[in-house]
């Protein structure tokens, strides 16, 4: 049982930006498994909207950072196998939508969802844990899953177009060492933490090592944009 639902913590407005967001990937959810095998054409996620707020803005899209609670049930007998409210001191889960941090069915089920919306979704095995199931999560093979979801916040994701454009001062769709250096200085000044003088150069070098894949001295929109936004 989920027990008493704790008071909800307000969404953190700075989750979509900051120094650490250049150094992804995130790993916010346990066991983000993918489906096994191909997806049958007839199998798709069924979505029932339980509550839709009057104001629906912004709607969730791939790459957004979402904050949500959800309960998971086996469709076969209605037994609950997961409750986010019993983990992490009851705080809602943060995860990036559409990039495989959750099962494929949830990535699909939570697209175009607005803050405050509640959904009940049915996910076939091919978009969940497939023929193998997930023993640790008490999910048998070929299990159809039902989730009841409440979405609290939709924030710009860590690799958002807005974040890229904020760093790209000259608008040439690539990030130079000077631009990222300036970004680091601004972030250091903003958080006010004490750092060794060498920290700036070390972090700058690490960012280019992890993101400048073609080693041309710039981080292109494609290299930065790991979540494949269409706007870039």
């Amino acid at each position: 049982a989920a027990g008493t639902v704790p008071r909800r913590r307000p969404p953190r407005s700075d989750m979509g930006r900051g120094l650490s967001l250049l150094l992804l990937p995130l790993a916010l959810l346990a066991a983000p498994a993918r489906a096994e095998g191909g997806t049958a054409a007839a199998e798709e996620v069924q979505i029932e909207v339980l509550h839709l707020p009057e104001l629906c803005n912004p709607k969730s899209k791939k790459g957004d950072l979402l904050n949500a609670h959800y309960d998971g049930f086996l469709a076969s007998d209605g037994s609950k196998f997961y409750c986010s409210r019993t983990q992490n001191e009851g705080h809602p889960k943060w995860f990036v939508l559409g990039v495989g941090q959750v099962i494929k069915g949830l990535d699909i089920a939570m697209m175009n969802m607005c803050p405050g919306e509640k959904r009940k979704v049915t996910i076939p095995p091919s978009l969940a844990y497939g023929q193998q199931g997930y023993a640790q999560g008490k999910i048998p093979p070929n299990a159809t899953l039902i989730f009841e979801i409440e979405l609290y916040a939709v924030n710009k994701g860590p690799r958002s177009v807005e974040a890229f454009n904020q760093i790209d001062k000259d608008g040439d769709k690539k990030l130079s060492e000077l631009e990222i250096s300036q970004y680091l200085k601004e972030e250091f000044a903003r958080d006010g933490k004490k750092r060794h003088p060498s920290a700036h150069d070390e972090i700058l070098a690490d960012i280019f090592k992890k993101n400048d894949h073609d080693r041309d001295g710039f981080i292109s929109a494609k290299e930065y944009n790991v979540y494949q936004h269409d706007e870039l």
Side-chain angles (χ1 to χ4, degrees), residues 110-187:
M110 297 184 70
M111 291 286 183
N112 298 310
M113 197 172 179
C114 34
E117 184 175 342
K118 297 180 182 179
R119 291 182 177 181
K120 180 179 180 180
V121 302
T122 303
I123 300 174
S126 60
L127 297 175
Y129 294 92
Q131 297 178 2
Q132 291 187 350
Y134 180 46
Q136 185 177 345
K138 299 180 181 180
I139 299 172
N142 299 311
T144 296
L145 307 181
I146 296 173
F147 285 92
E148 293 181 358
I149 306 164
E150 182 174 5
L151 180 61
Y152 298 138
V154 177
N155 287 352
K156 295 297 182 183
R159 294 284 179 146
S160 68
V161 176
E162 289 80 5
F164 183 92
N165 290 338
Q166 178 186 356
I167 304 170
D168 183 23
K169 301 294 187 182
D170 61 10
D172 64 354
K173 298 301 180 184
K174 57 184 180 180
L175 306 181
S176 67
E177 185 173 326
L178 180 61
E179 287 172 330
I180 294 182
S181 177
Q182 182 60 36
Y183 171 78
L184 291 177
K185 290 178 182 178
E186 293 171 357
E187 287 297 312

Side-chain angles (χ1 to χ4, degrees), residues 80-94:
K80 181 181 289 188
F81 63 84
Y82 183 80
C83 176
S84 62
R85 291 177 175 86
T86 63
Q87 300 189 9
N88 192 30
E89 298 182 345
H91 297 307
K93 297 290 186 181
W94 286 102

Side-chain angles (χ1 to χ4, degrees), residues 1 9 25 50-51 54 68 71 75-76 85 92 99 103 108 118 124 129 132 170 192 196 213 225 227:
R9 181 172 62 178
L50 303 178
H51 172 72
E54 291 185 13
D71 295 332
S76 58
R85 291 177 175 86
V99 301
I103 58 173
I108 294 170
K118 297 180 182 179
Y129 294 92
Q132 291 187 350
D170 61 10
H196 190 276
H213 304 304
N225 187 37
Y227 297 147

